[in-house]
Amino acid sequence: MANLAPYISSIRLIVVMFPFLAILLLLPFLIRQYHRYGAISGWMVGVNYAFIFYLLCAYALTILPLPTVDQVRAMTGPVENLHLFDFVHDFITYSGFVLTQPRTWLHAAKSPQFIQPFFNLLLTLPFGMFLRYQYKKRFVTSLVLAFCLTLSFELIQRSALFGLYPRPYRLFDVDDLLLNTCGAMLGWLISGPLGKILPKKEDIVETLEERSHRVSINCKSVAILLDLTVIIVCDVTYNLIVGQPHQLISILLYLFWVVVPELVGWPTLGQRLVHLKLTDKSGGKAGVLQVVLRNLFGYVLVIGLFAAELYVLNQTGTVIASELGTYYFLSLFGLFLILVFVISLFVSLFTKQFFHEILSGTRLVSTYQNKAEK
């Protein structure tokens, strides 16, 4: 534990992976916020974003780096320590710490016997802070949740990473359970005075109520992401059951999940959960042609553009030399169109409308009712 290089590399790995995981992991929170308040707070999103990042790092630090199977098979050390307070005995015996000799204190603080327990204490400190500040958990509830979190760390290690290895490659240690749990509760205590200077959730909720009827690009994006996630999950499930991917299934799922509800005048599941409804510019029911154009410009052409670009790029490695120029031109033209699409997304942040809404003459309006309207 004194060598922190493996743990730093684990954090770097999570930093690289996190942007790709964050949107999916934050989606349930965003849906809940829009469904409950009609809007989201940047501060609350940031805090939940940080909480997810912390949990990813915490689990990575207890699991990574992964050794090879041969390295684990060659291990002969113990797999568990069930003696409580062994870390105190090791510190007194091996760190060189002498209470009456201050010159030994710095050396002892640099020893593995101090760094390991101290690191385990710090590992769960943020967990307790998040529980009290963001999720308003009481002391006993936080204590139970902190113990469950630390127990999950140790059980994953004791199970040899769910049986993937022939034996555990890290020690199941009751001292770690104690220190991790104490670290979380120390964080819970620190969060009390710290929470007095941070934005209060009650004040944030009041501002959310005031702008609950403003349909933001973020709200529209959450609805779209949810609908696409459901379609992808259903498509993947079908492929796993049948064992043979079929593009027609994806098209049918999209028609059933998005196009048909919009033609009938119903909100899709994503739109319903964030309190949105599709209308024309005047607020009336969107016409058939408008719905068709909306989906054509918003989904079919965009997905087709990316699919075509990937196809052209794959073909450049197999076509004959005389045709490479044509494929390179098509590839550059596709990249140009993708750039135009990205720019249109950036512009939509200011216009508050996606380009397919403008082209189809449709818009999403809020159906949220705040407390004063109910």
Side-chain angles (χ1 to χ4, degrees):
M1 291 291 291
N3 181 15
L4 298 180
Y7 303 98
I8 293 174
S9 66
S10 300
I11 294 175
R12 287 174 179 169
L13 177 62
I14 290 298
V15 169
V16 173
M17 294 171 56
F18 183 64
F20 302 98
L21 296 173
I23 294 177
L24 181 61
L25 295 175
L26 269 177
L27 190 58
F29 164 77
L30 295 175
I31 293 169
R32 181 177 178 273
Q33 290 296 299
Y34 276 119
H35 187 74
R36 187 171 182 180
Y37 304 115
I40 60 171
S41 160
W43 174 260
M44 293 173 69
V45 171
V47 172
N48 282 273
Y49 197 85
F51 182 62
I52 295 173
F53 177 71
Y54 158 74
L55 287 178
L56 288 172
C57 286
Y59 276 102
L61 290 172
T62 58
I63 297 173
L64 303 176
L66 296 176
T68 64
V69 174
D70 291 336
Q71 288 174 329
V72 174
R73 191 176 287 115
M75 294 178 179
T76 58
V79 297
E80 60 186 29
N81 170 42
L82 302 179
H83 301 288
L84 202 58
F85 298 114
D86 261 10
F87 73 96
V88 178
H89 174 268
D90 291 343
F91 179 75
I92 295 173
T93 305
Y94 302 111
S95 69
F97 175 78
V98 179
L99 183 62
T100 57
Q101 299 179 15
R103 66 177 182 274
T104 66
W105 296 356
L106 182 60
H107 179 269
K110 296 179 179 179
S111 66
Q113 291 76 28
F114 176 82
I115 291 178
Q116 179 175 347
F118 184 67
F119 175 80
N120 283 324
L121 196 70
L122 292 181
L123 178 62
T124 50
L125 188 76
F127 187 70
M129 298 176 70
F130 281 115
L131 288 181
R132 184 172 184 178
Y133 171 71
Q134 177 64 14
Y135 304 109
K136 308 300 180 184
K137 301 300 181 184
R138 297 182 179 275
F139 185 88
V140 175
T141 305
S142 298
L143 179 63
V144 173
L145 291 174
F147 180 77
C148 291
L149 176 72
T150 58
L151 183 62
S152 72
F153 293 160
E154 299 303 315
L155 290 179
I156 289 173
Q157 294 174 166
R158 185 63 181 86
S159 68
L161 197 56
F162 307 107
L164 294 178
Y165 288 95
R167 55 155 283 160
Y169 61 91
R170 288 194 178 179
L171 186 70
F172 176 96
D173 196 337
V174 292
D175 282 339
D176 289 350
L177 277 174
L178 174 66
L179 289 166
N180 289 156
T181 304
C182 289
M185 300 321 296
L186 178 61
W188 189 91
L189 293 173
I190 293 173
S191 183
L194 185 62
K196 294 180 180 180
I197 62 176
L198 295 175
K200 291 180 173 57
K201 188 174 182 179
E202 296 77 11
D203 296 335
I204 295 174
V205 169
E206 286 185 12
T207 63
L208 294 181
E209 290 280 348
E210 294 173 0
R211 51 191 180 90
S212 58
H213 290 295
R214 304 174 193 170
V215 180
S216 66
I217 289 296
N218 291 333
C219 185
K220 297 176 183 180
S221 300
V222 169
I224 292 172
L225 282 174
L226 178 58
D227 288 329
L228 291 180
T229 300
V230 173
I231 292 172
I232 292 171
V233 169
C234 292
D235 192 27
V236 171
T237 303
Y238 172 83
N239 292 338
L240 290 175
I241 295 174
V242 176
Q244 185 176 1
H246 204 300
Q247 196 171 17
L248 179 61
I249 298 300
S250 303
I251 297 173
L252 291 176
L253 283 170
Y254 176 75
L255 292 174
F256 172 78
W257 199 260
V258 176
V259 179
V260 172
E262 291 184 344
L263 286 173
V264 175
W266 297 340
T268 66
L269 177 63
Q271 294 167 7
R272 183 181 296 276
L273 287 178
V274 298
H275 297 291
L276 294 179
K277 182 178 71 172
L278 180 67
T279 69
D280 59 16
K281 287 183 178 181
S282 62
K285 181 178 179 295
V288 174
L289 180 60
Q290 290 176 311
V291 172
V292 171
L293 290 176
R294 173 186 175 83
N295 287 276
L296 179 64
F297 291 124
Y299 298 95
V300 178
L301 291 183
V302 173
I303 295 174
L305 173 61
F306 280 92
E309 179 65 18
L310 288 175
Y311 173 79
V312 171
L313 289 175
N314 288 332
Q315 290 297 110
T316 55
T318 59
V319 298
I320 58 177
S322 60
E323 297 179 351
L324 273 178
T326 301
Y327 277 89
Y328 283 145
F329 171 78
L330 292 174
S331 176
L332 289 174
F333 182 67
L335 290 174
F336 170 75
L337 293 179
I338 291 174
L339 178 61
V340 172
F341 170 69
V342 172
I343 292 174
S344 73
L345 292 180
F346 178 75
V347 172
S348 68
L349 296 175
F350 301 94
T351 62
K352 307 302 180 184
Q353 282 190 299
F354 288 119
F355 77 100
H356 66 280
E357 294 180 298
I358 298 173
L359 294 176
S360 63
T362 60
R363 62 177 183 147
L364 290 172
V365 298
S366 175
T367 60
Y368 178 81
Q369 290 183 314
N370 56 38
K371 295 179 180 178
E373 298 170 327
K374 292 180 180 180

